[in-house]
Amino acid sequence: MGLLQNVIEEAGIAAVSLSSNLEASRLVRPSRAVLIKFPYGSLVGEPNNADLQGKVVLEALQVLKEVNIPGQIRELPFRWKRD
Amino acid sequence: MIYADAFLEEQERRYQLWLEKAGPLLAAAKWREAFKDYPFITTANPPLTPLDKELNQSKLALISSGGFYIKGQAPFDTGDVTGDYSYRELPKEFDRDEVGIAHDHYPHKYAKEDINCLLPVDRLSELERQGVIGSLASPLYSISGYIPNAVPFIRETAAEIASKLVAGQVDGVLLVPA
């Protein structure tokens, strides 16, 4: 995902990715990333929790707009509540 | 170029060496052991393009590596241990009953219950209606997140998607991994 992201950046389009794997993100170094401690298969948030999903998407878009230092990873504070 | 030809040729060589050792482990589904020394494609200096418009003026594209495909499209090849580096284009309005998942390396239960867990198309459409973003671009792009054979993915798939985004006058992209 980070490889695709960097190719898109190089083509002149701003990009941001979600990540739950800090180790992989530090290796691949995508242009901008948002770190979320959610389970694999649900990085945007719990199923049918539109409020939480919306907050995650909006935070990622803020990073897209605000972060202009390459390789920055911003950690989000959201918690996974569902079992 | 960030991933220049000579760099990718060297990566391809490292990947083939890894695959000689890891191939039997992949075939035996010993993932942790196989990927222990996987040669990640790294970079010290990622490129970055500023988003020069406000979000509410920006056309945004969505890419997910959840392995989604829709009725009429071929599923990703999950039988190939080196991965399937192709991509699918999904219209931004699609029938949720016609979506399939071809990706064996993450639990599908969340996305099956609510596709927005990995492909937040409803959330981005809401932001478009609220005027928070300019628009959500169509198509959405879907890839498989399991692509050990990453060099042809960079050379073909990533290059093709990037040029389509440029042609579609997309301003910004959100990528969601599985």
Side-chain angles (χ1 to χ4, degrees):
Chain A
M1 217 54 182
L3 301 172
L4 172 58
Q5 179 174 347
N6 285 346
V7 171
I8 290 169
E9 289 279 1
E10 198 168 55
I13 298 177
V16 63
S17 58
L18 307 187
S19 168
S20 62
N21 186 338
L22 185 59
E23 200 183 338
S25 293
R26 280 183 173 150
L27 282 172
V28 177
R29 295 206 79 202
S31 54
R32 304 174 185 84
V34 170
L35 184 70
I36 309 172
K37 289 173 183 164
F38 285 170
Y40 286 117
S42 197
L43 249 60
V44 184
E46 298 154 1
N48 303 312
N49 187 343
D51 183 51
L52 176 63
Q53 293 171 358
K55 283 179 183 162
V56 170
V57 168
L58 206 52
E59 288 278 355
L61 296 181
Q62 296 296 344
V63 167
L64 179 72
K65 178 63 191 163
E66 292 166 9
V67 170
N68 286 319
I69 300 166
Q72 234 182 57
I73 300 170
R74 184 183 290 180
E75 184 170 352
L76 296 189
F78 302 119
R79 294 263 175 89
W80 182 268
K81 291 183 183 139
R82 214 173 95 147
D83 287 332
Chain B
M1 266 180 87
I2 176 169
Y3 306 122
D5 276 345
F7 175 78
L8 289 181
E9 278 162 26
E10 171 62 14
Q11 291 299 324
E12 181 66 29
R13 195 187 62 76
R14 291 175 62 209
Y15 167 75
Q16 293 298 343
L17 284 173
W18 170 79
L19 189 61
E20 277 176 33
K21 271 172 55 188
L25 298 169
L26 295 172
K30 293 180 177 171
W31 310 115
R32 196 176 293 270
E33 206 180 334
F35 283 97
K36 204 172 50 192
D37 52 359
Y38 176 73
F40 275 97
I41 296 179
T42 63
T43 179
N45 300 300
L48 184 139
T49 300
L51 182 67
D52 55 6
K53 294 180 184 171
E54 295 302 319
L55 282 172
N56 64 11
Q57 303 295 317
S58 297
K59 183 177 183 179
L60 301 180
L62 176 61
I63 302 176
S64 171
S65 64
F68 300 110
Y69 63 98
I70 52 170
K71 199 175 171 183
Q73 296 177 334
F76 293 93
D77 181 0
T78 54
D80 187 341
V81 293
T82 68
D84 180 343
Y85 62 83
S86 63
Y87 68 98
R88 307 287 178 273
E89 297 182 17
L90 277 53
K92 70 175 177 178
E93 285 170 21
F94 57 89
D95 187 340
R96 305 302 154 91
D97 296 333
E98 297 193 340
V99 179
I101 302 175
H103 190 319
D104 287 346
H105 297 264
Y106 76 90
H108 297 175
K109 58 180 178 177
Y110 303 119
K112 278 187 172 165
E113 189 177 338
D114 176 7
I115 198 165
N116 290 286
C117 292
L118 283 182
L119 190 74
V121 58
D122 293 332
R123 302 295 82 82
L124 285 162
S125 297
E126 284 160 11
L127 293 174
E128 179 182 320
R129 282 196 298 276
Q130 293 161 5
V132 176
I133 65 170
S135 64
L136 171 61
S138 194
L140 318 170
Y141 291 91
S142 168
I143 60 173
S144 156
Y146 178 78
I147 316 172
N149 190 11
V151 169
F153 172 75
I154 292 174
R155 285 192 200 273
E156 299 172 35
T157 302
E160 214 171 289
I161 291 176
S163 74
K164 285 186 175 179
L165 294 171
V166 170
Q169 297 183 305
V170 166
D171 300 300
V173 179
L174 172 63
L175 301 102
V176 183

